[in-house]
Amino acid sequence: MQRVKPAIVAHRGASAYLPESTLPAKALAVAQGADYVEHDIVMTRDNELLVNHDLWLDEVSDVAERFPGRAREDGHFYVIDFDLEEILTLGVSSRFRVVDGDVLPVWPDRYPVWQGRFGFHTFEEELQFLAGIEHSTGRRVGIFTELKSPWFHEREGGDLAAAVYDVLGRYGYRTAADGCRVMSFDPQALRHIREEIAPRTGITVPLTQLIGRTADQEVFERLPSGEWVNYDVDWMRDPTRVGALAEWADGIGPDIAMLLDQADAGGLRVNDLASAAQAAGMYVTPWTLRADALPPGADSYGEVFDLLARDALVDAVITDFPDLAEACRTAS
Ligand code: CA
């Protein structure tokens, strides 16, 4: 039987080469062979949908200089505390952190910090941009749409999933054939979609349960008392329990390292997590393959790509380097 090769998903665009999440990064991803672009969606104070990985603006923009005094107690400038009009005036950079007043690149060998002029854009602007590229190139470009911390938006009074589905419906993303998958670390949000939003809207795009680590505190849930507590997600990567996710998810999105073990003979081997999910009828789309941050024990990008494609039989590989993935896929 001819094995289907994995789709290539550009993580925040070709983010190894241009500032993450920006439209130029999305354009380069398509040029480098990506079948899908991945994006993270966050809501603004005026209920607009922004493409941005973080809940805050300060690690990729000049918000701290432009709007001093607008940070929360934790020092972050939250998207949900700004109107879209304000956010669209900000400059955007490759990811940085500020240490003792010095601006340091998070990825020193990638596109330089504060070089060139980039800006934020909305979810709708991204869909329009991709539709334009589809028109001009004749290629299909799908989307992996991540709902960023729906629980946080609920706590702040917004329904992120409902807002995203409103846009998806208006742009013609309705079924699996339309090239869209919706992802989240938050299982309550996926259940909310499966049980309420999908039946109401008739939008049946596949749902991916992203699998993180409880210690990373990606997901919180509200107790009946009203208190928000860290939700335990560590059980999701247990091969004997992962099948339970099929109740609300069509596939899983684990960290690549969760699929790999150290082999007795040295090197890496694929463990039972991917096959257990597939046995439960789910696809597997791991994140994030990076040549400059390989999983522990890996020697090369190609080694990991081949393990995922040949041994784990993943449906898609999410990567910062779509060009390298395309080269591996062509060679395999
Ligand atoms: Ca993401």
Side-chain angles (χ1 to χ4, degrees):
M1 192 177 78
Q2 178 73 33
R3 184 175 51 77
V4 177
K5 293 183 178 183
I8 297 169
V9 185
H11 181 246
R12 310 179 204 166
S15 52
Y17 304 105
L18 282 166
E20 66 177 60
S21 302
T22 61
L23 293 177
K26 305 294 163 49
L28 183 58
V30 176
Q32 291 186 334
D35 305 294
Y36 295 83
V37 298
E38 186 264 359
H39 43 218
D40 305 278
I41 310 301
V42 187
M43 192 179 277
T44 68
R45 183 167 62 187
D46 50 344
N47 300 319
E48 299 288 341
L49 296 177
L50 190 74
V51 178
N52 187 50
H53 175 266
D54 302 338
L55 292 173
W56 44 82
L57 299 159
D58 38 282
E59 295 177 21
V60 295
S61 84
D62 56 0
V63 66
E65 292 85 63
R66 295 286 315 290
F67 294 97
R70 295 271 297 269
R72 291 195 180 188
E73 276 186 7
D74 64 4
H76 287 305
F77 295 73
Y78 281 78
V79 174
I80 199 132
D81 293 335
F82 290 80
D83 288 339
L84 178 64
E85 189 178 69
E86 295 173 319
I87 293 170
L88 294 182
T89 68
L90 298 174
V92 166
S93 165
S94 280
R95 183 169 287 275
F96 60 84
R97 57 205 151 101
V98 179
V99 180
D100 298 331
D102 292 329
V103 175
L104 304 176
V106 169
W107 301 98
D109 294 329
R110 296 189 178 187
Y111 192 92
V113 166
W114 291 121
Q115 182 154 313
R117 190 140 61 102
F118 299 91
F120 287 111
H121 62 278
T122 66
F123 183 34
E124 287 198 58
E125 285 173 325
E126 177 140 335
L127 298 182
Q128 292 164 12
F129 184 75
L130 295 174
I133 290 178
E134 287 191 333
H135 181 78
S136 60
T137 65
R139 282 185 50 196
R140 286 296 306 275
V141 185
I143 52 174
F144 275 35
T145 300
E146 179 178 350
L147 308 178
K148 182 56 66 175
S149 302
W151 62 268
F152 170 83
H153 289 86
E154 183 189 343
R155 203 181 70 185
E156 299 288 323
D159 189 336
L160 180 64
V164 165
Y165 269 65
D166 176 55
V167 173
L168 290 177
R170 284 193 280 113
Y171 282 80
Y173 295 98
R174 305 201 66 87
T175 72
D178 296 323
C180 169
R181 293 184 185 179
V182 167
M183 318 190 287
S184 188
F185 286 100
D186 185 343
Q188 293 119 170
L190 295 181
R191 297 183 82 136
H192 173 53
I193 291 169
R194 173 128 302 169
E195 293 164 9
E196 294 169 40
I197 297 178
R200 173 169 58 75
T201 60
I203 297 173
T204 59
V205 299
L207 302 178
T208 305
Q209 175 67 60
L210 297 172
I211 302 180
R213 295 175 175 82
T214 305
D216 291 339
Q217 305 206 349
E218 291 259 16
V219 184
F220 283 71
E221 63 179 328
R222 183 165 49 195
L223 300 179
S225 66
E227 183 189 3
W228 288 86
V229 296
N230 192 18
Y231 179 89
D232 175 20
V233 295
D234 285 338
W235 65 271
M236 294 182 183
R237 63 177 189 273
D238 179 342
T240 68
R241 300 180 69 186
V242 69
L245 298 175
E247 187 186 331
W248 61 85
D250 301 289
I252 63 166
D255 183 340
I256 287 171
M258 295 175 185
L259 299 179
L260 302 174
D261 286 346
Q262 301 293 327
D264 292 339
L268 294 170
R269 67 174 188 87
V270 167
N271 64 28
D272 295 336
L273 180 57
S275 58
Q278 289 155 347
M282 292 183 286
Y283 57 76
V284 180
T285 57
W287 49 272
T288 299
L289 188 48
R290 296 174 164 125
D292 48 6
L294 292 170
D299 292 324
S300 73
Y301 186 101
E303 173 196 5
V304 180
F305 185 95
D306 287 347
L307 283 166
L308 296 174
R310 293 177 187 166
D311 296 349
L313 301 175
V314 301
D315 190 79
V317 173
I318 302 176
T319 181
D320 290 359
F321 295 80
D323 57 334
L324 299 184
E326 173 65 3
C328 291
R329 184 167 66 172
T330 302
S332 69

